[in-house]
Structure formats: C-alpha cells, structure tokens
C-alpha cells in the first residue's frame, strides 16, 4: 500500500525551505533526492567496514568486498541479468556509454553505420560522434514526429547490413517519451547490430528486464534512482563484454603484468581498473532495495496520476504549450508559454520556492526540431504530491502575470 | 558621471524596493521598455551564447570613450543587460577595466552573475572588458 506521507517522511530534504518557502522539488529528472536509509548507509560504510576491496586478506577488506559484490548481485537481480559478471560499476550513464563507444573503435570500419535517435541526450550522441570520427563510420538519426515519438517506419528504413550499433534512449529526458525499445532491439538484431539502451531516465520509474528486452547493453545512473552521485551501472551481455577491449588500464583489471605483455582479468574486473567507488556501489544497492520495497508498480501508477493531474492543471494556463505529448510518457512535463522565455519563468518560480529545470536539457537537437530556445521542465517523482503541483501552477501563473 | 557614481545611483534606486518581487518587476520593466541594440548589430558575430539565454553585444568608440548596446532573448536578462549598459557605456577604457562589480551584490542580483547561471551575463561583462582592453592597447 503506497502511503505518500510515510514516503515523504523518508526524505529529510523535503522538510527544507528554499527562499523562505517549503521546497517543491520538481527537478527529479536531473537528480533524485535521497532517502535517509541511503544517506545513513554512506556513514555506516565508512564507520564500520571501510577498506580496499579484492586485495586484502584481512577481515575488513573481506567485509567490504562482500558488501560490494553483494550490491552487484542486487543490481543483477534488479535488472534480471543472467550473470553478476555482466554488471559493471561505473561513475554514471555517461561513463558507461563512453566505455562501450570506445570499445567499438576496434570493431568498426569505414562504411559502417551507427544509429541514434533525434531525442538523445548529448551523452548518447557525442561519444558515438567520436567513434565515427575515429573509424570512418557514419552516424544516422531516427527522426521523431511533432508529439516527440520516434517514427518507426523511418527507423526500419535506416537499418541495413552496415548498421553495427543502435544506441537509443529508453525514456527522453526533455520530453518524457517512453520509446518502444523492445521493437527497436528486435529490429536491430535482424541486421546483426548491437543495441545500447540509455536507461538514465527510465530506471527511476521502470524496472528494466534485460533478458526480456534482449538488449546488448543497458546503462543507467545511481543518483537518479535515489543513490549517490558518481555511481552507475553498465550492463553488457557477457559475449559482448568479452569482445570489447578494456577501457582503462590499471590495478584490478589485470591478470598478469610483465613489461612485455599484460593479460586481462576476467569479467567484470577487466572493466573496473583502480579502486572503485566502493561506498557508492554498496549504497546504490541500498537505494535499489529502497525503491523495490516501495515497488515499481506503485511508483509507476502514482507518478502517472501526478502526470495526468499536472498536465490538466498546467494546460488551464492560457498560452501554455506542452512539448512532448507522446502517448507513452513518464512523469515529465516540458512546457513554454507564448511570448515568454523559459529562463524568465524558471527564475521567478524558483523565487517562489519551486525547483524546475530550464534550458535545452542537454538536448539541443530536440530544441532545434521544435524551433524553441528551451523549455521549462517539471519532472515528478513518487515523493511529490498534487498539492505541490498546485504550488507550481500558482507560481507559473504568477510568473506569467509578472512577465506579460 | 563616473562608473562609481552611476553604480551608487543604481544602488540608491534599488534601496526603495521592499522585496525581491518589486526588484524583479523593475528589472522586467527595464527589459520591456528598452530597445537597446540596433537590429543590424543583432547578428551572429555579436552573439554571446549562454546555456539559458542569449545576449548580443555591440561596441563603438567615440572621442576616447566606449559605447555599448546590447540585447537578450530573455526579459530578466535583458533588464540586467540594461543596468550593465548604463554602467559601462560612455566611459573611457581605463574606467571600464578598473570597474568593480560589487554593486550587483548590493542590489540583490548576485545570483544572476554567477558563472554557473549560464545566462550570458558573465560572458557579457568579460566581453565588455575585452573591448576596453583592446581599445586601450590600440591607443
């Protein structure tokens, strides 16, 4: 049973005031707030078992190693990976994408093609541009329609024997669109392409099942799922992770080192050079436990209620347009008001205690597509309420009044 | 008037406002009322890109003094642009280079000049000082 008041009580920051007003935090797509269990777990780690892992024979090192590997198993079960060695700890989604894109440099040749979509975050565009520059491959883009939905017929038409990688976001950060990734993965596999799914915006709302999806890579960030910043996960199918070369060299990722030749450690250590973010990895496991205790079904249906309510209330404002009106959406509302710059709205509503994001949201191609300088984006989480949405709507009305 | 005198005058004007809302309403008024750049100068070469809003800045020199005109696509940014122009225009290069920006804090607009705001204002001041430096070096 989902009890919003008890959920809110789990998050100490929600009691804070901003500019003298109770905080209304609607920038969840940028980063999620942390429940007390997560905050406490960081201190518990350093207070009780801090040690370097995978090296020491001493007890503390064993305890820390066990906790870290336990967290890896938690992630494995959370995303339903076959093996825990397919789960790599990273510093975040961006790192994961860069690791994979870099790895493909040795597998691609001129004439090959990499496919991304028109609604990618810059993080899922630029690493592939680097890859194309290095290999002579070319970048192809799946277009979208005016609702912010990918045009699947155009995607089908892009695929051919030269398509080697398809990298698509599960959910758009700027529009909230949930993409039909199962279809995209299956179609890409028909031409033998590998598929990477950017799960940064999906994982706070949806529990991914990588076996069912059959994706080759799935990446996401810890800080967006109530975990610590600087943590993330790269899931890769074992066969692909064996095929890709290591990304960084150092300790932990080796089997034997001589000055003539080094052989690499087995998975997952081949990709985890150096001392990792041990506390971060362990606490990411705690964060996923927390979210699973609340339950992703409950989270999804409650957030959907917020989305419908927020959409209805915001649309009552004259001249307000929502950008991103896909049928399948997470609880993200990007909007503009006719004749008013999104930055101006963002500044005023912040003064009224409401945190929203303004700007291009690291998705300049989307803004160019809609011919706008940016949007105001309110992104909801399961700890937000309808009353907070009322505060947002009142603040936007006030901003409109001041700026018109 | 010197830059310092103009700044004092602005601080004086802002001291009449009781709260942020009055201050912002005044800035919005400034932003709305002023056509502060000639359209022919609102071009790509004069554009200062911010992540959040954009600023266009044009500079001219006359009788040893620098004259600035500017604009922005966001109205709050434009209002603050108007304040900055009032401070810097019709001044000798040396005055501009020596100018202290502490008055922005006094009128409660410091957050708008934070480098992380990315609204183009910090880059605008930098650009104004660059123009001053260039004119001074040429003379």
């Amino acid at each position: 049973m989902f009890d919003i008041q008890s959920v809110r009580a789990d998050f100490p920051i929600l009691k804070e005031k901003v500019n003298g007003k109770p905080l209304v935090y609607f920038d969840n797509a940028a980063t999620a707030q942390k429940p007390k269990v997560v905050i406490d777990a960081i201190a518990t780690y350093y207070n009780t078992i801090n040690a370097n892992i995978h090296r020491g024979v001493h007890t503390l090192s064993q305890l820390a190693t066990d906790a870290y590997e336990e967290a890896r198993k938690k992630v494995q079960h959370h995303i339903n990976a076959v093996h825990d060695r397919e789960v790599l700890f990273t510093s975040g989604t961006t790192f994961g994408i860069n690791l994979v894109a870099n790895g493909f440099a040795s597998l691609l040749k001129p004439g090959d093609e990499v496919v991304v979509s028109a609604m990618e975050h810059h993080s899922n565009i630029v690493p592939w541009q680097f890859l194309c520059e290095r290999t002579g491959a070319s970048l192809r883009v799946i277009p979208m329609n005016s609702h912010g939905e990918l045009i699947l017929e155009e995607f089908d038409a892009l695929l051919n024997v030269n398509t080697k990688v398809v990298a698509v976001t599960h959910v758009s950060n700027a529009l909230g669109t949930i993409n039909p990734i199962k279809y995209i993965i299956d179609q890409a596999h028909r031409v033998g392409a590998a598929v990477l799914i950017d799960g940064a915006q999906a994982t706070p709302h949806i529990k991914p099942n990588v076996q069912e999806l059959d994706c080759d890579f799935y990446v996401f960030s810890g800080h967006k799922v109530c975990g610590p910043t600087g943590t993330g996960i790269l899931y890769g199918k074992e066969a692909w992770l064996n095929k890709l070369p290591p990304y960084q060299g150092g300790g932990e990722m080796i089997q034997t080192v001589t000055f003539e030749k080094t052989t690499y450690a087995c998975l997952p250590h081949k990709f985890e050079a150096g001392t990792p973010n041990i506390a971060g990895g362990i606490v990411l496991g705690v964060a996923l436990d927390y979210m699973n205790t609340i339950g992703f079904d409950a989270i999804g249906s409650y957030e959907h209620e917020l989305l419908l309510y927020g959409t209805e209330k915001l649309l009552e404002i004259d001249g307000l347009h929502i950008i991103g009106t896909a049928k399948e959406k997470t609880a993200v509302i990007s909007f503009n008001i006719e004749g008013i710059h999104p930055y101006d709205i963002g500044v005023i509503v912040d003064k009224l205690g409401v945190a929203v994001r303004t700007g291009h949201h690291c998705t300049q191609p989307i803004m160019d597509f809609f011919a706008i300088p940016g949007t105001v984006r309110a992104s909801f989480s399961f700890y937000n309420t309808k009353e907070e949405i009322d505060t947002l709507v009142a603040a936007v009305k006030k901003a409109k009044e001041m700026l018109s | 008037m010197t830059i310092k005198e103009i700044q004092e005058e602005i601080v004086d004007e802002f001291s009449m406002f009781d709260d942020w809302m009055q201050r912002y309403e005044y800035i919005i008024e400034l932003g709305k009322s002023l056509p502060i750049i000639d359209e022919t100068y609102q071009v790509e070469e004069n554009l200062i890109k911010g992540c959040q809003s954009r600023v266009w800045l044009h500079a001219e020199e006359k009788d040893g003094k620098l004259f600035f005109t500017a604009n922005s696509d966001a109205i709050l940014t434009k209002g603050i642009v108007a304040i900055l122009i009032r401070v810097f225009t019709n001044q000798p290069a040396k005055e501009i280079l020596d100018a202290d920006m502490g008055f922005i804090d006094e009128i409660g607009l410091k957050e708008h000049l934070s480098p992380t705001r990315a609204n183009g204002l910090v880059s605008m001041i930098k650009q104004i000082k660059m123009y001053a430096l260039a004119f001074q070096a040429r003379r």
Side-chain angles (χ1 to χ4, degrees):
Chain A
M1 167 74 194
F2 185 81
D3 174 8
I4 182 65
Q5 288 316 322
S6 92
V7 166
R8 285 182 70 79
D10 293 338
F11 291 81
I13 205 169
L14 298 180
K15 297 181 196 79
E16 289 295 307
K17 291 200 163 173
V18 168
N19 292 324
K21 309 212 166 46
L23 166 68
V24 174
Y25 185 76
F26 285 150
D27 196 16
N28 294 289
T31 197
Q33 298 303 344
K34 320 300 174 201
K36 192 162 183 303
V37 282
V38 164
I39 300 165
D40 289 349
I42 296 169
T44 302
Y45 168 77
Y46 286 114
N47 280 324
T48 58
I49 58 167
N50 176 51
N52 211 331
I53 56 171
H54 299 138
R55 293 174 171 77
V57 291
H58 61 82
T59 307
L60 217 50
S61 174
Q62 273 305 316
L63 287 173
T65 304
D66 290 350
Y68 195 67
E69 291 308 319
E70 188 54 41
R72 195 190 304 275
K73 286 202 175 71
K74 280 180 187 173
V75 178
Q76 177 205 344
H77 294 134
H78 179 73
I79 63 174
N80 194 30
V82 181
H83 308 291
D84 59 356
R85 57 183 178 273
E86 295 176 317
V87 173
L88 311 182
F89 283 113
T90 66
S91 61
T93 302
T94 301
F95 187 93
I97 297 170
N98 275 281
L99 187 155
V100 175
N102 186 74
F104 270 93
S106 58
L107 304 174
L108 263 53
K109 57 182 191 311
D112 285 343
E113 293 175 6
V114 176
V115 174
V116 297
S117 90
M119 64 174 79
E120 297 311 314
H121 188 282
H122 296 162
S123 297
N124 201 27
I125 300 173
V126 183
W128 302 110
Q129 285 175 327
F130 286 171
L131 173 67
C132 289
E133 276 166 25
R134 282 171 69 185
T135 59
S138 55
L139 193 71
R140 312 293 298 272
V141 182
I142 313 167
M144 63 180 168
N145 63 26
S146 60
H147 293 287
E149 292 165 324
L150 295 180
I151 304 171
L152 295 175
E153 302 78 56
E154 303 256 4
F155 167 63
D156 293 344
L158 279 178
L159 294 171
N160 64 73
V161 289
N162 298 318
T163 312
K164 292 292 148 52
V165 184
V166 174
V168 173
T169 193
H170 194 165
V171 168
S172 158
N173 70 314
L175 307 170
T177 310
I178 303 172
N179 286 316
I181 53 166
K182 179 64 186 153
Y183 177 84
I184 290 170
I185 293 161
D186 289 347
Q187 289 296 95
H189 282 167
R190 287 169 66 159
V191 296
V195 184
L196 175 140
I197 301 296
D198 172 354
Q201 293 295 330
T203 39
H205 317 286
I206 298 164
K207 190 169 173 158
N209 183 333
V210 295
Q211 283 190 66
E212 204 174 280
L213 289 169
D214 196 29
C215 54
D216 302 291
F217 303 97
Y218 194 99
V219 288
F220 65 99
S221 294
H223 71 95
K224 292 194 204 279
V225 291
C226 299
T229 54
T231 63
I233 295 297
L234 162 58
Y235 157 81
K237 278 183 190 163
E238 184 170 24
W240 272 113
L241 293 178
N242 281 329
K243 222 179 280 182
L244 297 186
Y247 187 39
Q248 294 183 332
E252 185 123 358
M253 54 78 68
I254 50 84
Q255 189 175 44
T256 58
V257 176
T258 66
F259 285 107
E260 287 70 39
K261 184 167 174 60
T262 292
T263 55
Y264 307 127
C266 55
L267 293 173
H269 309 296
K270 171 182 158 189
F271 291 104
E272 294 182 350
T275 297
N277 182 352
I278 305 167
I282 293 170
V283 179
L284 173 53
V286 175
L288 289 176
D289 280 348
Y290 174 80
M291 292 194 70
N292 278 308
T293 305
I294 292 173
F296 278 83
D297 287 341
I299 288 172
S301 62
Y302 179 72
E303 287 177 347
H304 191 66
E305 233 179 276
L306 293 181
L307 173 67
L308 295 180
Y309 184 77
T311 304
E312 186 194 322
K313 291 288 165 187
L314 281 167
L315 283 176
E316 284 172 9
I317 298 172
D318 236 15
L320 186 143
H321 301 288
I322 291 177
I323 294 100
T325 48
K327 278 184 215 81
E328 299 290 326
K329 268 183 78 171
T330 56
V332 168
I333 305 178
S334 249
F335 63 91
N336 273 326
I337 297 177
E338 268 167 42
I340 303 180
H341 197 285
Y343 173 74
D344 292 324
I345 298 171
V347 171
I348 306 277
V349 302
D350 170 63
K351 283 281 173 193
L352 294 165
V354 182
V356 293
R357 176 88 179 262
T358 62
H360 55 58
H361 317 295
C362 297
T363 55
Q364 284 177 21
I366 297 183
M367 303 303 132
D368 291 346
F369 176 80
F370 287 104
I372 49 178
T375 71
V376 182
R377 183 189 68 186
S379 50
F380 308 139
S381 179
F382 58 90
Y383 45 70
N384 289 129
T385 65
K386 288 183 181 172
E387 290 72 33
E388 289 180 309
I389 293 175
D390 292 339
T391 307
L392 165 73
V393 172
V396 173
K397 280 183 181 159
K398 179 73 195 167
K400 190 192 165 204
E401 182 194 309
M402 287 175 75
L403 293 160
S404 307
Chain B
M1 275 203 282
T2 65
I3 286 185
K4 194 144 182 31
E5 283 163 357
I6 297 168
Q7 289 181 347
E8 279 164 10
E9 195 178 72
I10 294 169
V11 171
D12 214 37
E13 283 166 23
F14 269 80
S15 68
M16 295 185 301
F17 303 131
D18 296 331
D19 57 11
W20 73 269
M21 214 175 273
Q22 288 182 356
R23 285 202 303 275
Y24 276 51
E25 271 163 358
Y26 177 63
I27 296 163
I28 291 164
E29 276 317 305
L30 286 177
K32 275 184 199 163
S33 57
L34 296 173
I36 41 184
I37 196 168
D38 190 299
E39 239 174 67
T40 52
Y41 296 130
Q42 195 165 317
V43 290
E44 189 70 27
E45 301 93 82
N46 287 335
L47 177 64
I48 298 165
K49 273 186 188 149
C51 252
Q52 298 282 351
S53 57
R54 298 187 294 172
V55 172
W56 291 266
L57 176 72
H58 172 71
E60 274 174 47
E61 189 196 23
K62 219 174 11 186
D63 305 327
K65 286 180 172 175
L66 285 165
F67 292 83
F68 297 100
T69 52
N71 201 5
S72 174
D73 55 351
I75 215 157
L76 284 167
T77 309
K78 191 178 165 195
I80 298 168
V81 161
I83 294 171
L84 294 174
I85 294 292
R86 184 171 150 198
V87 168
F88 286 116
T89 203
N90 194 11
Q91 296 292 341
K94 188 179 177 329
E95 278 263 329
I96 293 168
L97 284 170
D98 292 345
D100 176 74
M101 296 304 290
F103 85 105
I104 286 288
D105 200 3
E106 284 180 62
I107 60 175
L109 296 178
K110 192 179 166 198
E111 68 210 56
H112 290 273
L113 291 186
S114 139
T116 55
R117 260 298 161 109
N119 53 13
L121 287 173
V122 172
S123 309
M124 176 186 164
I125 294 172
K126 219 179 266 172
Q127 193 62 41
I128 284 174
K129 297 227 173 193
M130 290 283 280
Y131 277 125
L133 196 63
F135 282 121
Q136 200 181 40
R138 206 191 302 158
R139 264 146 43 92

